[in-house]
Amino acid sequence: MSHIDKIDIAARKKVAEIFHKKFSELSESIEKGSPPKLEIPMRTLANTVFDPSKGILKLGIRKIERNFLNMNETKKFMQTLLMASIIYQALVENEYPTIRDLYYRGKHTILFKDLNGKIKEENTWEEQSESDASIRDVEVMTGLLREDMLILSKEKGKVVGNMRIRSGNDIIDLSKLGHGAYAIESTPDLIEFLDYDAELVLVVEKDAVFQQLHRAGFWQKYKALLVTGAGQPDRATRRFVRRLHDELKLPVYILTDSDPYGWYIYSVFKVGSIQLSYESERLATPKAKFLGVSMSDIFGYGTKKAYLNDEERRNFIIKAKDVDIKRAKELMKYSWFHSKLWKREIDMFMDKKAKLEIEAMASKGLKFLAFQYIPEKIQTQDWIE
Amino acid sequence: MSAEAESEERIKAQEKYREMSIAEFFAKNKELAGFSNPTRAIYQTVRELVENSLDATDSHNVLPEVKISIKEVEAATDDKPAKYEVAVEDNGIGVPPNEIANAFGKVLYSSKYVIRQTRGMYGLGVKAAILYSQMTTGQPVFIVSSTDSSDNIYYKKLLIDIKKNEPVIIEEGQLLKRSNWHGTKVYLTLEGDWVRAKQKIIEYIKRTALIAPYAEIIFETPENEIYYFPRVTKKMPKPPSEAKPHPHGIDIEQLKAMVSFTKTKTMLEFMVEEFQSIGEITARKFLESIGIDPNMNPKMLIEKGNSKLLQVVATGLRTYKNFRPPRSDYLSPIGEELIEVGLKRLFNAEWVKAITRQARAYEGHPFIVEAGIAYGGNIIPTEEPVLLRYANKIPLLYEEREDVSYKVVSSINWKLYNIEEPMPLVVLVHVASTKVPYKGVGKESLSEVQELESEIKNAVQEIARSLRLYISKKNSERTLREKIVTISKYIPEIARSLSILSIPPDKWGTDGKNNNEKIIEKLVKIVSKSIELPKIDGKEEDPEKIVRSVIANVKLEQ
Ligand SMILES: Nc1ncnc2c1ncn2[C@@H]1O[C@H](COP(=O)(O)OP(=O)(O)OP(=O)(O)O)[C@@H](O)[C@H]1O
Ligand SMILES: [Mg+2]
């Protein structure tokens, strides 16, 4: 199998061993006649804890038991094992299923007779949401992420910059992609960092802004690795950014709209999502800095001058909607938004009830955004952590 | 004469006085005995004959064989109903030849005017049928009968002289008996409406067969259909025996009659000899309590001028508290076993249970209430339970809503017994007594005697409680069975998954051992062990059997 590279094969082998070991335990206990059960760390908000020393969201220690003999759990028990078996099969057979593939591979009909002797049909799962939940169960049970299991998802994130990587058997120069960019692959851990010439990582929320900065030559001028998650970042993008930070020791700056949704995207990069707190350990970048756009950029604060004049403010500011206010109130509950600067930021938002899209800065001139606003903010350390 | 006195005179002058025989009375008031129309008449005729036949058999320890036949002898015309010959034959004790004429030709002549639990009690039944027959067709009744000890078979054709209430023999004779047959066969011809009565008559016979599963009953309809109810058991209830009266049930007229018949010489003897359950001590105490000399001659009570004394004794008998309760060992209940057999046979029911309660008494008459419940099986679910009423083993089909049993059964909240509407439920109530409190001589419904009502209630509720237990056991068993299905149907899938996961990565593709079957076996044991099915009627099922049958039927479609 020459097309499969070494890293890939090693990764598969390791993961397959973990699977085999974990589920052989269950087979052995069944062999002994004990009631079959799976221990699965709880994936609910109540079992999500913020680890202040690491600055990330983590799964708590609470576990649930999924008992085969409990009528209410028996189907999920079956689904989890079914999912584990098809992932395992894909691993040892050198396949790269997507989560949609896994859904189809596991979906089949169980025919049985009910008490009245009527033949009944039941599908192993109906919706993909059910098979996705099983994937998450397998992830927390094995302590592995789907990326580790070589499960693919749609690629969303992109990167350009002065850097060479190995992906599969190819070496890719991230500075020689023209107007295009490298799509961050679903298995970012299989990427090998070869060499680079960069001093910072800039993550922008929006794909359009990414393209503008790319064409303006921002990354060449400021020795940046330019990344976008194109909205809500996928797991691969977050893992990739985290690796850039950890392995290359580069500072990570995040640039989003000036509104609670932008803050939330920053928060996902920084501490992880609540829904998937079990992956934060490996996906979150706690040291990521919120570069802007901040409220003080719009309105100024103390001695700091605003980047917008009165007229621009009148033209660009959008009035916050109820959902924005609601979301802001939600965010205020999380401890990592309790720092002095974040408080000030959110208070200003609540006070002004105003938000701003980052495109507004660009419309002041792309040059302004690329060569004045961003470098100045970095230089003056005008960010929020 | 004043105008007022004049009109009074006129009214008086129009009144004509005469005596009416009891035969004429019932001939004129047919509905009182249940002969209100051609439909009821043919139904009632069958009933009276069948009940006499059963009295002549099971009350005398003879396993009944009863043959009923109805034939159309003259078709209906525009203004006249059809004529039918009804014939009923039994293998009973027969009627002594010298009693045949009166037993069948004289209203209020009976062998059952004793304190004994029989279906018949008034001495009217067959005569009411004969009167109806005679008035609608003019035909005599034909009776053939032989007692066990007799060498002959006697037959009589007779009519009733309605004015005199006396039999008129039309023809009679005797034959030498060649076999050892004994029994009675009665032929009657009457106007009736068979088509309308058919369902009720069949229902009546069915219910009779239910309560007397020891009887063999054959019924041939005018259409030559045969309904055959074979004997399903030879077990018969102990026949009723005759009892002396209980003092609480005595009124002044009965007391007079008893005194005039008695051969005893003292009041003490009279009390001990003529009444049930009275010993010397009780008799003395009683007589002392009403101030009567135990040595007084009982005949004194009916001497002129002693009516006060008679009154004192009569009241004392009815009200004295320290007599023992009426004896019930004379009674002949059907028994729990026979009721259950009967219910099972008729409804092929899923669950049946019957109860025979302890004897109780009302107004000095002992009675026993029996009840049975059948549930499920062939019973068609309805809004309220089907009620089968019996009194002294007679099925009661009419006047249901007037009956005390209906009052009790319809007031029960069946939901409290885990029974949902519509319910596949049959409730049977049987009242056995030396005096059944019928509402009328047609014997169709029972009065709301308070003691009776509360006994019926206790009986039905007691069985209903066992039924509730059965249903809740069954429900919980069903839930458990459902649990077995819910869990077991995944066993093959789980075993398949686990057997894949248990192949080590480096052994993949080599035909390493597949432990699928082994895991299935283990899981079967684990699931079976985790569930214990409740015992129902002493039986419990092995959960493993269910688990295996579920798995055997599972198919995994790819
Ligand atoms: N099939 C029979 N076998 C033996 N005796 C019979 C038969 N039919 C009638 N008799 C006798 O004739 C008598 C009169 O019967 P009848 O039906 O008129 O009155 P009953 O049965 O005594 O009371 P009831 O009016 O309540 O039916 C009975 O008491 C019984 O002695
Ligand atoms: Mg009779």
Side-chain angles (χ1 to χ4, degrees), chain B residues 357-489:
Chain B
R357 298 273 304 175
Q358 290 291 316
R360 293 276 185 285
Y362 78 94
E363 296 169 11
H365 310 294
F367 69 91
I368 290 177
V369 166
E370 300 181 279
I373 289 184
Y375 176 82
N378 293 346
I379 302 168
I380 297 157
T382 43
E383 296 304 304
E384 49 178 26
V386 174
L387 175 60
L388 306 181
R389 297 171 294 133
Y390 292 88
N392 283 355
K393 301 174 190 157
I394 306 176
L396 310 180
L397 268 69
Y398 286 96
E399 299 174 12
E400 179 181 85
R401 278 160 198 254
E402 272 109 87
D403 196 287
V404 58
S405 300
Y406 179 79
K407 185 181 170 197
V408 170
V409 171
S410 63
S411 71
I412 290 178
N413 181 357
W414 294 98
K415 283 215 178 68
L416 297 179
Y417 296 94
N418 281 349
I419 299 162
E420 299 293 330
E421 270 180 41
M423 41 190 135
L425 194 67
V426 171
V427 177
L428 179 151
V429 176
H430 176 228
V431 178
S433 176
T434 48
K435 187 168 185 304
V436 173
Y438 289 115
K439 283 192 168 169
V441 289
K443 300 181 188 161
E444 283 297 357
S445 58
L446 271 50
S447 315
E448 286 157 26
V449 173
Q450 191 258 317
E451 293 90 336
L452 188 59
E453 189 175 330
S454 81
E455 267 306 285
I456 294 173
K457 193 168 188 162
N458 290 339
V460 174
Q461 283 180 341
E462 189 173 334
I463 318 177
R465 278 194 293 273
S466 331
L467 177 57
R468 177 177 55 197
L469 203 69
Y470 168 77
I471 291 178
S472 72
K473 265 190 183 173
K474 214 182 80 163
N475 287 349
S476 77
E477 196 222 33
R478 190 163 175 97
T479 321
L480 284 174
R481 282 165 160 272
E482 266 159 13
K483 181 175 172 181
I484 294 179
V485 175
T486 307
I487 293 178
S488 305
K489 66 177 184 237

Side-chain angles (χ1 to χ4, degrees), chain A residues 182-208:
Chain A
Y182 174 71
I184 300 167
E185 59 179 88
S186 298
T187 51
D189 281 293
L190 301 187
I191 295 174
E192 194 184 337
F193 296 158
L194 295 176
D195 43 43
Y196 68 100
D197 179 19
E199 286 168 1
L200 63 98
V201 178
L202 180 69
V203 181
V204 295
E205 174 189 351
K206 288 184 161 161
D207 189 36

Side-chain angles (χ1 to χ4, degrees), chain A residues 12 31 106 133 171 204 209 225 235 255 283 349 363 366:
Chain A
R12 280 175 192 281
E31 184 71 29
I171 291 169
V204 295
V209 179
L225 296 174
R235 299 155 53 114
L255 189 64
L283 302 186
F349 167 78
S363 65
L366 190 55

Side-chain angles (χ1 to χ4, degrees), chain B residues 302-315:
Chain B
I302 46 173
E303 266 170 30
K304 269 218 165 86
N306 279 351
S307 66
K308 272 242 172 72
L309 207 58
L310 184 73
Q311 183 73 56
V312 167
V313 175
T315 314

Side-chain angles (χ1 to χ4, degrees), chain A residues 20 30-31 34 68-69 71 75 81-82 85 88 92-93 108-113 115-116 122, chain B residues 478 483 487 489-490 493-494 496-498 500-503 505 508 518 522 526 553-555 557:
Chain A
H20 173 65
I30 289 174
E31 184 71 29
S34 356
F68 173 55
L69 294 179
M71 264 220 301
K75 181 157 195 184
L81 286 184
L82 172 61
S85 79
Y88 183 64
V92 289
E93 295 194 340
H108 57 259
T109 306
I110 297 175
L111 291 164
F112 65 98
K113 279 191 184 161
L115 282 181
N116 304 322
E122 186 181 310
Chain B
R478 190 163 175 97
K483 181 175 172 181
I487 293 178
K489 66 177 184 237
Y490 297 134
E493 182 63 66
I494 286 169
R496 201 186 57 82
S497 298
L498 273 178
I500 289 174
L501 285 158
S502 59
I503 305 170
W508 191 265
K518 219 173 82 190
K522 275 287 167 194
I526 291 171
N553 285 308
V554 169
K555 283 196 193 70
E557 270 187 358

Side-chain angles (χ1 to χ4, degrees), chain B residues 142-405:
Chain B
F142 183 47
I143 305 124
V144 182
S145 188
S146 177
T147 58
D148 189 22
S149 55
S150 169
D151 294 331
N152 298 312
I153 298 174
Y154 299 88
Y155 64 88
K156 281 189 167 54
K157 257 187 195 166
L158 58 85
L159 288 166
I160 297 174
D161 181 331
I162 295 179
K163 288 260 153 26
K164 291 194 186 137
N165 185 24
E166 265 171 17
V168 180
I169 308 290
I170 307 290
E171 193 187 325
E172 62 187 332
Q174 65 194 70
L175 307 160
L176 204 63
K177 208 154 69 169
R178 282 175 218 282
S179 62
N180 52 10
W181 180 79
H182 55 87
T184 305
K185 185 162 184 177
V186 180
Y187 298 81
L188 270 170
T189 308
L190 72 153
E191 279 182 7
D193 188 338
W194 160 253
V195 177
R196 287 232 172 84
K198 180 173 182 178
Q199 280 323 313
K200 279 277 188 209
I201 291 177
I202 290 170
E203 184 65 25
Y204 172 80
I205 294 172
K206 260 192 200 164
R207 290 199 193 178
T208 301
L210 188 160
I211 201 100
Y214 48 82
E216 178 187 86
I217 304 175
I218 301 174
F219 173 40
E220 194 182 342
T221 70
E223 303 92 339
N224 293 323
E225 292 164 0
I226 306 280
Y227 289 83
Y228 177 54
F229 297 90
R231 174 175 297 135
V232 288
T233 172
K234 287 196 168 169
K235 241 191 103 159
M236 265 203 300
K238 164 184 82 74
S241 43
E242 198 182 323
K244 292 177 197 168
H246 189 276
H248 284 169
I250 291 299
D251 60 35
I252 215 160
E253 290 308 313
Q254 279 169 294
L255 180 60
K256 264 183 176 161
M258 286 171 77
V259 167
S260 61
F261 281 119
T262 189
K263 296 197 170 68
T264 57
K265 295 278 181 275
T266 66
M267 276 306 283
L268 185 68
E269 265 182 85
F270 177 70
M271 290 304 299
V272 174
E273 288 299 311
E274 304 291 347
F275 293 95
Q276 60 167 269
S277 317
I278 299 183
E280 250 199 67
I281 300 170
T282 314
R284 275 183 202 286
K285 278 191 182 154
F286 166 67
L287 291 170
E288 194 189 283
S289 79
I290 54 168
I292 298 273
D293 176 4
N295 291 320
M296 184 184 99
N297 189 328
K299 305 278 183 200
M300 290 274 286
L301 292 177
I302 46 173
E303 266 170 30
K304 269 218 165 86
N306 279 351
S307 66
K308 272 242 172 72
L309 207 58
L310 184 73
Q311 183 73 56
V312 167
V313 175
T315 314
L317 285 171
R318 262 209 318 282
T319 54
Y320 184 66
K321 288 279 179 306
N322 295 330
F323 293 127
R324 259 180 284 154
R327 282 177 61 171
S328 58
D329 47 349
Y330 301 113
L331 294 179
S332 171
I334 306 156
E336 297 171 357
E337 191 186 326
L338 286 182
I339 296 178
E340 287 172 9
V341 167
L343 284 172
K344 250 201 195 113
R345 161 162 84 162
L346 200 58
F347 299 104
N348 194 14
E350 172 188 325
W351 184 91
V352 299
K353 193 171 176 65
I355 181 178
T356 300
R357 298 273 304 175
Q358 290 291 316
R360 293 276 185 285
Y362 78 94
E363 296 169 11
H365 310 294
F367 69 91
I368 290 177
V369 166
E370 300 181 279
I373 289 184
Y375 176 82
N378 293 346
I379 302 168
I380 297 157
T382 43
E383 296 304 304
E384 49 178 26
V386 174
L387 175 60
L388 306 181
R389 297 171 294 133
Y390 292 88
N392 283 355
K393 301 174 190 157
I394 306 176
L396 310 180
L397 268 69
Y398 286 96
E399 299 174 12
E400 179 181 85
R401 278 160 198 254
E402 272 109 87
D403 196 287
V404 58
S405 300

